[in-house]
Amino acid sequence: MTQDARTRLELLRTQAAERVETTAATLAELMHDREGSNDDDEHDPEGVTLSSEWSRLTGLAEAAASELRQVDDALARLDADTYGVCANCGRPIPGARLEVRPFATHCVACAEKLGL
C-alpha cells in the first residue's frame, strides 16, 4: 500500500501544483486587465464581471493551495510511517476512506465526532 499511496499522492500533488500555477497565471492576467480601470465591474456585456471572475479564481486558487498543503502533509506522514493512522484515536484509517480521500488524517468515526 505504501508505494501505491506514494504514487497516488505524487500524482495528486502534481495536479494540485498545476492548478496553483494555472490559477496564479490567470489571476495575474486578470489583474493586468483590471489595471487602469476605474470601474471595478468593467466587463464584456455578455460575460461575467471582473469582480465575479476575480472571486471565482481566488476561490479556485485557495482550494488548490489547500489541497497541495494537504498532499504535502500526507507525503510527510508517509515518510514518517504515520500515513493511514488516525491522528485522533491512533487506529488505522480504513483503506476505502484513503481511496476516496488519500490525505485523510482521521478515521470516519473520529472525523464525524470532530465534525470534519
Side-chain angles (χ1 to χ4, degrees):
M1 175 172 127
T2 303
Q3 190 56 40
D4 289 342
R6 179 171 302 282
T7 300
R8 185 154 187 230
L9 288 167
E10 287 174 351
L11 175 62
L12 288 173
R13 187 185 194 295
T14 299
Q15 293 169 343
E18 287 172 357
R19 284 195 314 278
V20 166
E21 289 177 26
T22 300
T23 54
T26 306
L27 278 168
E29 267 183 50
L30 186 61
M31 191 181 316
H32 179 268
D33 291 346
R34 290 179 71 172
E35 284 177 3
S37 175
N38 292 332
D39 186 345
D40 190 44
D41 283 331
E42 185 70 31
H43 67 282
D44 176 351
E46 295 182 18
V48 296
T49 64
L50 292 177
S51 295
S52 295
E53 187 64 4
W54 182 268
S55 294
R56 184 185 76 81
L57 288 170
T58 300
L60 290 173
E62 289 171 359
S66 175
E67 183 175 335
L68 185 57
R69 282 189 301 275
Q70 290 178 68
V71 171
D72 283 342
D73 290 347
L75 284 165
R77 288 192 305 278
L78 195 62
D79 291 339
D81 289 328
T82 59
Y83 180 77
V85 177
C86 179
N88 190 53
C89 69
R91 290 187 291 236
I93 298 172
R97 176 161 171 78
L98 291 172
E99 189 68 31
V100 173
R101 189 168 174 82
F103 37 80
T105 57
H106 295 85
C107 65
V108 175
C110 288
E112 287 176 352
K113 189 183 332 176
L114 296 169
L116 301 175

